[in-house]
Amino acid sequence: MKNVVVIMKGGLGNQLFQYAFARNIQLKYGYDGIILDISELDGIRDRKYALQDFELPENCVTTCSDNRYARYSRRRNPFLRVGMHICPKVVYDVGTFGNAFIWDRTELIDIDKRIKSGKDVVINGYWQSAKYFPDVSDTLKKDLKLIRREAYEKLDIYKKIRGTDSTCIHVRLGDYVNMSYYNTFGVEYYKDAIERVKEKKDSEFFVFSDDIEGAKKMLAPFYPELNFVTYDGQDTLSDLFLMSQCKNFIMANSSYSWWAQYLGEEKNIVTAPKKWTSSDACEDIYMDNWIRI
């Protein structure tokens, strides 16, 4: 059997990007299965394997947690770590000869001409663009249904979201506050985006955040009518599901935010910060229908 091996890393949003890219390769090139190597996540605070709650196809997706793929891990292979820091393109070019695609920069790469379909493929990167999985949207939405979604559908907040022309506002605070890599923006982006939606829609706004009190302090003085979402049993997965049920999206510069809108059935208006990180624009993470503010 020939497989696509994924070195899993990061939080839920990043893991979804990694799975999506692997699924595209698996289907496009006829690989038997996908192996999710979750050992990279071991011992990292706030970073655990997060895809066990989705309906991934059991017939072709498995996980492993040993060190059989450690040589492809920057965390576990010091030579790879140094090489990716000093000359990442060289490491990438060398790795492709062995069917290993190691790339965690924002620059989009095209692996199609490099894959040797008779060998296992190993991917290690973040792959934060729908351009890495352009033809499998329907498959991904089937794979990435939450196992417990029926329980979430019983929540009062779900019924309110589904019963209105709802707009999800995602405010990422928490760990972003002290991470210089990400472009931090204040209330002005959200004010501009809310007004943009109001110009076109009579919408009900639902604010989701990893720091809901911080989000309330930021937005409530200007928009007291907003719904700041809290409920019993609230967690990352239930929030992702509820966010995806909205009809419009005011995104943060977050992969979690990205996936909430991607998995949504309706995406009438989607706004995003015009600069994704502090160092570059990350052009390929944006989708064509988004309004950049």
Side-chain angles (χ1 to χ4, degrees):
M1 292 181 65
K2 298 301 178 184
N3 296 298
V4 182
V5 180
V6 191
I7 309 299
M8 301 293 287
K9 56 187 180 180
L12 172 59
N14 281 318
Q15 291 180 40
L16 290 170
F17 273 118
Q18 291 152 28
Y19 173 77
F21 186 33
R23 189 72 157 123
N24 185 71
I25 295 171
Q26 184 236 339
L27 293 173
K28 185 172 184 177
Y29 293 96
Y31 278 84
D32 297 301
I34 298 171
I35 298 174
L36 306 177
D37 178 2
I38 62 175
S39 54
E40 179 90 343
L41 301 163
D42 185 46
I44 300 180
R45 185 173 62 88
D46 299 329
R47 290 293 181 262
K48 305 297 181 185
Y49 176 61
L51 304 189
Q52 70 273 5
D53 295 299
F54 295 88
E55 293 187 350
L56 305 185
E58 294 181 359
N59 63 321
C60 68
V61 179
T62 58
T63 62
C64 76
S65 56
D66 55 32
N67 284 317
R68 75 184 84 165
Y69 303 110
R71 65 186 180 277
Y72 303 109
S73 164
R74 289 181 63 181
R75 183 181 175 208
R76 290 169 287 166
N77 182 342
F79 298 104
L80 182 59
R81 182 166 60 250
V82 172
M84 284 297 294
H85 178 71
I86 297 174
C87 46
K89 192 64 170 64
V90 172
V91 171
Y92 171 76
D93 286 337
V94 170
T96 59
F97 287 108
N99 244 22
F101 299 90
I102 302 168
W103 188 252
D104 59 7
R105 302 303 197 269
T106 57
E107 176 190 347
L108 192 78
I109 58 170
D110 182 1
I111 73 169
D112 283 349
K113 295 179 180 179
R114 295 176 180 254
I115 283 186
K116 304 171 185 66
S117 57
K119 300 173 62 176
D120 284 356
V121 169
V122 180
I123 61 172
N124 178 355
Y126 290 103
W127 322 112
Q128 293 181 331
S129 174
K131 296 174 183 177
Y132 284 121
F133 40 93
D135 303 318
V136 293
S137 176
D138 290 342
T139 298
L140 289 174
K141 289 181 179 182
K142 181 180 179 181
D143 291 359
L144 299 178
K145 288 182 177 178
L146 284 163
I147 295 170
R148 298 191 66 245
R149 65 186 181 279
E150 291 183 1
Y152 303 146
E153 289 172 351
K154 296 177 181 178
L155 295 168
D156 289 340
I157 188 65
Y158 167 81
K159 298 170 185 176
K160 189 173 183 180
I161 287 171
R162 294 294 293 176
T164 61
D165 191 331
S166 50
T167 296
C168 164
I169 302 176
H170 184 216
V171 181
R172 178 74 176 262
L173 296 170
D175 57 346
Y176 266 28
V177 173
N178 297 314
M179 293 174 69
S180 60
Y181 174 74
Y182 289 97
N183 182 39
T184 56
F185 46 86
V187 70
E188 292 306 317
Y189 161 72
Y190 289 102
K191 289 170 66 177
D192 288 348
I194 290 169
E195 293 304 320
R196 188 72 65 95
V197 174
K198 282 186 169 185
E199 288 173 2
K200 300 182 178 182
K201 297 275 186 178
D202 182 17
S203 188
E204 190 85 11
F205 294 88
F206 297 86
V207 181
F208 294 83
S209 180
D210 53 352
D211 178 2
I212 200 66
E213 291 304 315
K216 192 177 295 185
K217 289 178 182 178
M218 177 189 292
L219 295 174
F222 304 98
Y223 300 101
E225 74 276 13
L226 301 181
N227 297 279
F228 292 88
V229 177
T230 60
Y231 52 92
D232 291 340
Q234 186 171 15
D235 62 17
T236 301
L237 290 169
S238 59
D239 269 6
L240 180 72
F241 175 77
L242 292 171
M243 289 166 66
S244 74
Q245 300 304 301
C246 292
K247 299 175 179 65
N248 311 291
F249 296 86
I250 296 174
M251 297 173 55
N253 54 336
S254 160
S255 57
Y256 180 83
S257 206
W258 194 101
W259 278 98
Q261 65 81 35
Y262 184 85
L263 295 173
E265 295 178 7
E266 297 184 52
K267 294 182 277 287
N268 297 324
I269 300 174
V270 180
T271 74
K274 62 183 176 181
K275 191 173 182 182
W276 199 264
T277 71
S278 58
S279 58
D280 58 63
C282 291
E283 288 296 318
D284 292 303
I285 204 167
Y286 295 97
M287 301 185 75
D288 292 340
N289 63 317
W290 292 4
I291 300 168
R292 295 166 65 169
I293 296 175

